[in-house]
């Protein structure tokens, strides 16, 4: 067989086998990196229920059985042990804006208890507003009947409910 014909016949075969081989390597590398990556980690700060002004910082989704460094806006740092399920909790800390860092991952903001309470208050107001608006929009007669049902509800929800029902009354109950 002629040398030129051999080269012409075998060159595409060699090139395609190299391409397929490197594709397999790329796929296996991507799969290994994906399986080694931890789940999405998050953390939060909650106020203590005993009225001491202390907080608990907790997190989920961290690499299991390792350590997490907590740093507060006051400059104090704490180390937390991560459980085999990827969680941690550190109680009885002063209220500050905390962040959590685990070796090999970036910094994750945990926030402060005050910020969490403000976020919850806004969420309660928004939910109350939506329910109050919808109730009065559907039936204008329910504008003043709702006060008896709100006695045990969050004050922010009650304020939102009142604001929503009053706005619906202005728009729909004339």
């Amino acid at each position: 067989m002629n040398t030129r014909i051999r080269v012409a016949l075998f060159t595409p075969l060699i090139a395609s086998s190299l391409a397929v081989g490197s594709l397999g390597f790329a796929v296996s590398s991507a799969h290994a990196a994906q399986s080694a990556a931890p789940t999405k980690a998050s953390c939060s700060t909650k106020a203590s229920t005993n009225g001491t002004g202390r907080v608990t910082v907790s997190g989920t989704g961290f690499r299991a059985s390792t350590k997490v460094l907590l740093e507060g806006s006051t400059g104090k740092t704490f180390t937390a042990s991560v459980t085999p399920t990827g969680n941690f909790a550190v109680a009885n800390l002063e209220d500050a804006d905390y962040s959590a860092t685990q070796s090999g991952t970036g910094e994750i903001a945990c926030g402060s208890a005050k910020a969490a309470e403000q976020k919850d208050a806004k969420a309660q107001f928004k939910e109350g507003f939506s329910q109050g608006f919808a109730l009065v929009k559907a039936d204008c007669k329910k504008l003043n009947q709702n006060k008896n049902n709100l006695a045990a509800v969050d004050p922010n929800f009650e304020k939102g409910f009142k604001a929503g029902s009053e706005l619906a009354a202005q728009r729909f109950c004339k």
Side-chain angles (χ1 to χ4, degrees), residues 41-116:
S42 65
C43 64
S44 62
T45 305
K46 294 192 179 181
S48 173
T49 57
N50 62 9
T52 61
R54 307 298 277 178
V55 300
T56 298
V57 178
S58 58
T60 60
F62 286 84
R63 278 195 319 275
S65 304
T66 58
K67 299 283 184 188
V68 170
L69 177 68
L70 294 176
E71 185 173 358
S73 57
T74 60
K76 294 182 181 177
T77 59
F78 306 91
T79 302
S81 297
V82 180
T83 66
T85 58
N87 303 325
F88 74 87
V90 180
N92 202 27
L93 301 175
E94 65 182 305
D95 192 11
D97 193 15
Y98 286 95
S99 63
T101 307
Q102 191 175 38
S103 177
T105 64
E107 184 177 76
I108 298 169
C110 304
S112 67
K114 185 175 182 179

Side-chain angles (χ1 to χ4, degrees), residues 30-39 63:
H31 179 66
Q34 183 180 18
S35 63
T39 60
R63 278 195 319 275

Side-chain angles (χ1 to χ4, degrees), residues 116-140:
E117 287 172 6
Q118 288 173 342
K119 183 178 178 183
D120 185 52
K122 288 178 184 178
Q124 287 288 334
F125 183 90
K126 185 177 178 182
E127 180 63 27
F129 186 92
S130 296
Q131 288 186 24
F133 188 88
L135 180 73
V136 174
K137 181 181 177 186
D139 185 358
C140 289

Side-chain angles (χ1 to χ4, degrees), residues 134-164:
L135 180 73
V136 174
K137 181 181 177 186
D139 185 358
C140 289
K141 293 177 185 174
K142 294 191 177 182
L143 177 60
N144 294 318
Q145 295 177 359
N146 57 24
K147 298 192 185 224
N148 296 335
N149 298 334
L150 296 177
V153 178
D154 182 272
N156 296 301
F157 181 92
E158 186 175 359
K159 289 175 188 173
F161 192 96
K162 182 178 181 208

